Amino acid sequence: MQSGLSFSAADLAQTRFAVSPMWEVVTSFRLLRRADEQPLHRRWAEQVRPRLVRAGLDRGWLAELVPVDGYLADFLNPTPAGPFPTLATELEAIRRTAPERVRVELGMLAAERDDGALARFRILSEAPEEALAKVTAEVEAYWELALAPYWERIRRLLEADVFHRARQVAEHGSAHVLNELHDSVRWDDGTLRLVRRHCALTRDQVGSGLLLVPSAFAWPKVLTRSVAPEPPQLAYPARGIGNLWEPRATTSPDAVAAVLGRSRTMLLTELDTPASTTRLAQRSGLSAAGVSQHLTALRNAGLVTAHRSGRSVLYARTALADALLAPAGH
């Protein structure tokens, strides 16, 4: 199947990029539900999936609204107002979704389901405002467990993609960049053509311009959103995702230890992947109380962040800590 999105000069002028937390929510949740797990994200999925099961998020609102394949309810991906919206901004936009639009999109979603009208669909249709508040609360819970501890790493990847392609637009023009997004995307004489059954875009369905959204979890597909009169959205795999979960090289710990102390440097090194106080104590040989004290100091210094995971807290390195540990010259 092939569809085409025609472009005028005005449409090209209104083409822009945005990093969307909600696109990462729906694409990552969909990936976790797939039986054929993508090897690119195995390290992340092995850490996250048990947390979701313990929290019951594998059988909640998101599990009903984000199928493994096929149509995604468009209200989950509101149009970003700027290039780097926050999750809170996007969740507020979801809560403001018009009730009639919720009902239409649920009907489209239900049409692809084998289990008929689900209880949560009925609640969303009958009391959309109250139900959307529950949906966004679950998204916040999912974010805290699955994405917040890793967001520094993911965000840097997505922002790097945006800056690279913005530079390419300046140097070579929009047509060149559109033709390099994905092997299913082709620019042809003023028309953006998408050659896959899972995506369809035509100008009569959408508003002017185009919103391009890099994603860490969309690979190997591109995903689209078409809601008139808003601009169409195209979520595509970001550059460099093959290295996203690889352990990051660090400088010799001795130099950092001279400033932070050996124990705190060791904990930062261990936090190449997010971990709890208990896990860090096991890895480092320090007492749990000692680890907690060091983590408090590192958090106050902006070197780690804390994220609630059930009864425990996961700690993650910040970009500042990564820069501190990076080998000289990087």
Side-chain angles (χ1 to χ4, degrees):
M1 176 180 176
Q2 177 170 297
S3 63
L5 185 69
S6 60
F7 277 77
S8 65
D11 290 316
L12 278 176
Q14 294 178 61
T15 295
R16 63 186 178 92
F17 291 87
V19 169
S20 167
M22 275 308 303
W23 268 112
E24 299 310 282
V25 167
V26 297
T27 53
S28 65
F29 190 85
R30 171 172 276 187
L31 182 146
L32 288 170
R33 299 193 68 198
R34 294 183 65 89
D36 54 334
E37 181 180 298
Q38 297 293 344
L40 284 178
H41 298 290
R42 183 170 293 125
R43 289 186 75 218
W44 169 82
E46 288 175 348
Q47 296 172 42
V48 169
R49 190 174 283 113
R51 299 176 202 157
L52 300 191
V53 173
R54 287 195 298 270
L57 295 180
D58 59 326
R59 51 190 183 276
W61 289 94
L62 280 174
E64 305 252 1
L65 294 172
V66 182
V68 176
D69 288 300
Y71 173 72
L72 285 166
D74 290 316
F75 64 77
L76 290 176
N77 295 108
T79 301
F84 304 110
T86 64
L87 178 67
T89 299
E90 294 194 313
L91 292 180
E92 180 57 32
I94 292 172
R95 286 189 284 268
R96 293 198 307 266
T97 304
E100 184 54 33
R101 184 168 144 199
V102 172
R103 296 185 185 104
V104 168
E105 293 179 8
L106 287 177
M108 296 169 62
L109 190 58
E112 297 188 2
R113 303 288 290 262
D114 296 330
D115 41 14
L118 302 174
R120 287 191 175 95
F121 282 24
R122 289 196 297 272
I123 295 171
L124 266 170
S125 295
E126 295 167 3
E129 290 185 5
E130 294 84 348
L132 286 176
K134 295 178 180 179
V135 171
T136 53
E138 184 171 300
V139 169
E140 289 178 312
Y142 174 79
W143 178 270
E144 196 68 13
L145 291 177
L147 293 175
Y150 310 89
W151 187 239
E152 288 279 356
R153 183 180 290 209
I154 296 169
R155 180 179 53 80
R156 285 200 301 274
L157 174 83
L158 302 180
E159 290 182 355
D161 182 279
V162 168
F163 294 141
H164 168 79
R165 297 189 194 275
R167 187 169 60 249
Q168 292 293 95
V169 169
E171 294 177 358
H172 305 290
S174 298
H176 172 85
V177 172
L178 291 172
N179 209 32
E180 290 195 339
L181 286 177
H182 191 265
D183 62 6
S184 69
V185 179
R186 289 290 177 268
W187 176 260
D188 178 23
D189 192 26
T191 300
L192 188 68
R193 303 193 183 280
L194 306 179
V195 189
R196 289 291 185 272
R197 288 190 178 275
H198 61 264
C199 55
L201 282 177
T202 58
R203 184 58 69 186
D204 60 357
Q205 297 173 325
V206 293
S208 58
L210 176 65
L211 183 63
L212 298 167
V213 184
S215 172
F217 299 97
W219 189 90
K221 298 180 178 180
V222 295
L223 301 172
T224 62
R225 178 186 188 270
S226 305
V227 178
E230 300 173 28
Q233 295 186 38
L234 192 153
Y236 63 91
R239 299 170 69 251
I241 57 174
N243 299 320
L244 179 59
W245 307 116
E246 290 299 314
R248 287 164 288 192
T250 60
T251 189
S252 169
D254 292 338
V256 180
V259 178
L260 297 181
R262 189 163 300 279
S263 295
R264 291 174 185 175
T265 301
M266 177 172 55
L267 292 175
L268 282 183
T269 303
E270 289 289 342
L271 284 174
D272 190 63
T273 58
S276 66
T277 301
T278 301
R279 181 61 60 86
L280 287 170
Q282 293 169 346
R283 291 178 185 171
S284 66
L286 300 172
S287 69
V291 169
S292 180
Q293 184 178 14
H294 289 311
L295 288 173
T296 298
L298 292 170
R299 185 179 181 185
N300 290 340
L303 296 176
V304 302
T305 54
H307 309 275
R308 174 65 58 181
S309 176
R311 296 181 179 178
S312 63
V313 175
L314 294 176
Y315 291 88
R317 281 198 322 233
T318 65
L320 179 60
D322 286 340
L324 184 67
L325 293 172
H330 281 232

